Amino acid sequence: MFKLHQPSSSMPDRTAPQVAVIGGGPAGLMAAETLSLAGIKVDVYDAMPSLGRKFLQAGVGGLNITHSEAYETFCARYGDQLPQLQAMLDCLPPSALRSWVHGLGVDTFVGSSGRVFPTQMKAAPLLRAWLRRLRCAGVRLHVRHRWLGWDDDGAMLLVNPDGEILIKPQATVLALGGASWPHLGSDGAWVPWLRGRGVEILPLQSANCGFEVAWSAHLQDKFAGAPLKSVALTFTDSQGRTEQRQGEMVISAHGVEGSLIYAFSRRLREHLNIHGSTTFTIDLTPGRDAERILAEISHPRGSRSISNHLQSRVGIAGVKVALLHEVLSKEQFADAAILAKTIKALPITVNATRPISEAISTAGGVSFNSLDQNLMLTALPGVFAAGEMIDWDAPTGGYLLTACFATGLRAGLGVRDWLNRHEKS
């Protein structure tokens, strides 16, 4: 585990190596802090008018920094990319990340779900304290500086309100994000510039996103935006692995979204990529078995409508009844056995992910095949990558931010070591 110490308030020596960090989100700022601790002169450039805009947006509903679950379970959330990420996570596991946050004067607590939040639940106090500490350490922060790639001589081209500038740092960290929420700065414009330099880039895709469903006009008109609470989702992926998880989701005009959907988004997307559509099931009454549901439905309802009967006997109403009407014919709805079975396993078929601009995060990006163990681009010696622009994926719940911080730390350490080797050679 790498120990992040409180930086010195003294400025880096003028003769120290100069490093440019492109991107002022969590990964870029963590790389900058790591480098400043090594006495390296750092300039951070960001295209937006202020730093950490996506970080601030992520904290609007409560900044979920990391997760408190058992470390082995935590690491497993990164799926197939864990072998590439493990050493980085080991350098900055959740416990160390919480300590780092505390070092900024921000307390944290563990919520009922195991997620870790700042006591105030907001991102702004943490970001302000962090930027203040970076400035005190001599890190120079430049906003409204958009990177436009390299010129023919290998200098980095940036444009700011005064025009174009060229810089030629001794090393560079690229922390440009993916392509989700492009209005906050991560627009994926970097993809052709890196491809043109021989870097393998996997297609950017929506992650932690909504999915499209061909709802009826009635459901779209009456129930778009309706929360679907206390349900359990079951999905079997392309490898035959079945998982069930209970939670909440939202019925949107276009399909489905929300935390329960995001937890399955990687596997749903992968199945979609292969088959063009995929189906999962929703248990509308988790905790009550099918026999009990059938017995309740079969109870004589007298003059009551079937909707009133379902609400009275099973507690199903509103959007849940509407979903049943989406998949059952009038005759099937009148068959108690079919109705009970569907209540316990209502099929929903999704046909596409929602656009990447709406997604919380992105999959794809710089392939690990194009990076060494220190996150240096093998095709571009001295250029390192960090954060969401690398091809890894994780669910919401603190896993996204933790990996951004951890890869930023790894890139910063990689630059430090690379500069030390070159200074000695």
Side-chain angles (χ1 to χ4, degrees):
M1 183 189 303
F2 180 78
K3 182 70 171 178
L4 279 168
H5 297 285
Q6 196 79 1
S8 168
S9 59
S10 60
M11 306 290 279
D13 189 283
R14 290 188 178 184
T15 61
Q18 179 190 0
V19 174
V21 174
I22 312 296
L29 294 179
M30 183 59 79
E33 178 163 10
T34 304
L35 289 161
S36 71
L37 290 172
I40 294 169
K41 186 166 57 176
V42 185
D43 286 88
V44 176
Y45 299 92
D46 194 275
M48 303 304 287
S50 58
L51 301 178
R53 288 203 163 193
K54 191 173 181 182
F55 180 67
L56 292 173
Q57 182 66 35
V60 167
L63 181 65
N64 183 194
I65 300 167
T66 189
H67 205 288
S68 66
E69 66 192 351
Y71 186 54
E72 183 177 350
T73 303
F74 177 90
C75 292
R77 306 295 186 192
Y78 295 93
D80 295 341
Q81 288 99 357
L82 180 59
Q84 291 84 7
L85 290 170
Q86 186 69 72
M88 303 173 212
L89 295 171
D90 289 346
C91 282
L92 194 64
S95 58
L97 182 55
R98 288 186 73 184
S99 296
W100 175 82
V101 172
H102 297 161
L104 287 167
V106 176
D107 292 330
T108 61
F109 73 96
V110 178
S112 58
S113 64
R115 299 182 179 199
V116 177
F117 301 90
T119 302
Q120 293 180 302
M121 296 292 288
K122 298 178 181 179
L126 190 156
L127 182 60
R128 282 197 300 268
W130 194 8
L131 294 178
R132 185 166 54 247
R133 191 163 79 180
L134 289 171
R135 290 188 181 100
C136 289
V139 175
R140 296 190 296 184
L141 307 174
H142 309 269
V143 296
R144 294 188 174 91
H145 279 66
R146 178 175 294 277
W147 179 54
L148 299 178
W150 293 273
D151 73 358
D152 294 339
D153 296 324
M156 304 190 77
L157 175 63
L158 298 102
V159 61
N160 64 26
D162 297 322
E164 294 183 351
I165 62 171
L166 292 172
I167 61 172
K168 204 158 189 179
Q170 290 166 273
T172 302
V173 176
L174 300 178
L176 294 154
S180 62
W181 296 355
H183 61 290
L184 299 177
S186 56
D187 56 12
W190 51 268
V191 170
W193 302 328
L194 292 188
R195 278 195 177 133
R197 295 273 172 158
V199 178
E200 181 185 9
I201 308 292
L202 302 178
L204 294 173
Q205 303 179 74
S206 299
N208 291 297
C209 60
F211 290 81
E212 297 185 357
V213 182
W215 297 132
S216 67
H218 171 77
L219 190 135
Q220 289 177 319
D221 292 341
K222 299 293 184 182
F223 294 100
L228 193 60
K229 299 183 178 182
S230 301
V231 296
L233 189 155
T234 301
F235 178 63
T236 301
D237 65 20
S238 300
Q239 298 180 345
R241 298 173 299 191
T242 299
E243 181 182 353
Q244 183 180 79
R245 184 177 297 197
Q246 190 168 335
E248 299 182 5
M249 53 188 280
V250 175
I251 302 301
S252 72
H254 303 288
V256 290
E257 57 187 46
S259 59
L260 188 56
I261 295 298
Y262 303 153
F264 286 86
S265 66
R266 183 208 306 254
R267 281 161 288 178
L268 292 173
R269 184 187 67 245
E270 289 173 347
H271 198 278
L272 273 172
N273 288 343
I274 297 171
H275 301 286
S277 67
T278 189
T279 300
F280 57 84
T281 61
I282 295 291
D283 182 350
L284 299 176
T285 59
R288 285 185 283 182
D289 60 33
E291 289 185 3
R292 179 181 172 187
I293 295 298
L294 178 58
E296 293 290 351
I297 292 174
S298 301
H299 191 277
R301 62 185 175 94
S303 61
R304 290 183 301 181
S305 68
I306 185 62
S307 295
N308 288 336
H309 184 62
L310 287 173
Q311 183 171 7
S312 174
R313 305 300 305 186
V314 191
I316 289 177
V319 66
K320 290 185 177 181
V321 174
L323 287 171
L324 290 168
H325 281 293
E326 287 288 301
V327 301
L328 296 177
S329 67
K330 186 176 181 180
E331 293 73 25
Q332 290 173 321
F333 214 98
D335 187 314
I338 293 176
L339 181 56
K341 182 179 179 181
T342 307
I343 287 171
K344 296 302 294 179
L346 185 146
I348 295 179
T349 298
V350 297
N351 304 305
T353 61
R354 289 297 295 159
I356 198 168
S357 61
E358 297 178 10
I360 292 175
S361 60
T362 53
V366 177
S367 169
F368 278 104
N369 293 332
S370 290
L371 298 165
D372 69 11
Q373 62 181 2
N374 294 317
L375 298 183
M376 186 173 75
L377 295 163
T378 53
L380 296 167
V383 180
F384 295 71
E388 197 181 331
M389 67 183 294
I390 300 174
D391 177 36
W392 57 270
D393 190 5
T396 57
Y399 311 102
L400 292 167
L401 268 180
T402 300
C404 283
F405 285 123
T407 55
L409 172 61
R410 178 67 265 172
L413 294 174
V415 171
R416 179 200 65 184
D417 295 344
W418 186 80
L419 289 172
N420 285 340
R421 288 196 300 271
H422 277 254
E423 186 178 348
K424 294 175 181 177
S425 61

